[in-house]
Amino acid sequence: METSDFLGKPFPCPVCNVGLRIKISRTLKPYCMCLECGIQIFFRGQTGINRLYEIIRSEVAVAEEFNSPARAIFLYNHLQSLKRQRQRLEDKQGVIFRDSDRDKAIASLDIEIARVRSELEREVEEDKEKEKQK
């Protein structure tokens, strides 16, 4: 296992289900932080690190394994998080002197918000189809 096997890979927050990116600590162990909840998760034991590695190695996003209602809640929470991030950037943006980099970050968040909304809509449509098949 290399640190590059973990770096930047997605992992859901166990409290709010917001997607987190795995980082590498000074001790070269994986960890992640949720800015929404304020929690930090450190994978210190070899067993936990190995389990995390298996999840990542299988390339199955943990959020994809959720059943439909849990997946919808995950998407909703992620959408709310993106909207809060966007609002924070807007609040920092000047009216007269706009920061072009901040504008680009806001535009990127707008694109991600639209993507997550469409994903949530697809989830609803899939649930409706499953209900019809019953």
Side-chain angles (χ1 to χ4, degrees):
M1 269 181 293
E2 300 284 325
T3 56
S4 61
D5 293 333
F6 297 103
L7 189 60
K9 303 293 189 205
F11 190 78
C13 173
V15 176
C16 69
N17 285 335
V18 168
L20 308 175
R21 294 288 171 206
I22 296 176
K23 301 176 183 182
I24 304 299
S25 70
R26 289 186 304 233
T27 58
L28 302 178
K29 293 184 179 176
Y31 77 99
C32 45
M33 297 177 2
C34 180
L35 299 177
E36 294 299 312
C37 298
I39 67 167
Q40 297 176 330
I41 304 167
F42 293 92
F43 300 90
R44 291 193 172 126
Q46 200 56 44
T47 302
I49 292 171
N50 288 335
R51 286 181 186 156
L52 178 63
Y53 177 73
E54 287 302 316
I55 290 170
I56 291 170
R57 193 174 63 91
S58 69
E59 295 183 18
V60 175
V62 176
E64 294 293 331
E65 293 177 2
F66 292 154
N67 61 22
S68 292
R71 175 84 176 134
I73 291 168
F74 166 78
L75 291 170
Y76 174 78
N77 288 338
H78 185 50
L79 186 58
Q80 296 308 309
S81 172
L82 291 169
K83 288 169 29 178
R84 282 190 296 272
Q85 289 174 19
R86 187 190 186 290
Q87 188 60 49
R88 283 187 209 119
L89 288 174
E90 277 291 341
D91 290 346
K92 291 179 183 177
Q93 189 65 291
V95 175
I96 297 171
F97 301 107
R98 294 190 65 87
D99 180 346
S100 65
D101 292 333
R102 193 170 286 136
D103 279 336
K104 290 173 188 167
I106 291 168
S108 178
L109 281 169
D110 287 338
I111 292 167
E112 182 65 6
I113 287 169
R115 186 193 68 75
V116 172
R117 278 186 178 139
S118 66
E119 200 172 331
L120 185 57
E121 189 64 37
R122 272 195 312 273
E123 196 68 34
V124 169
E125 293 302 319
E126 288 175 12
D127 285 350
K128 286 180 182 178
E129 285 298 317
K130 287 177 187 175
E131 195 62 33
K132 286 180 184 178
Q133 293 174 358
K134 288 184 179 179

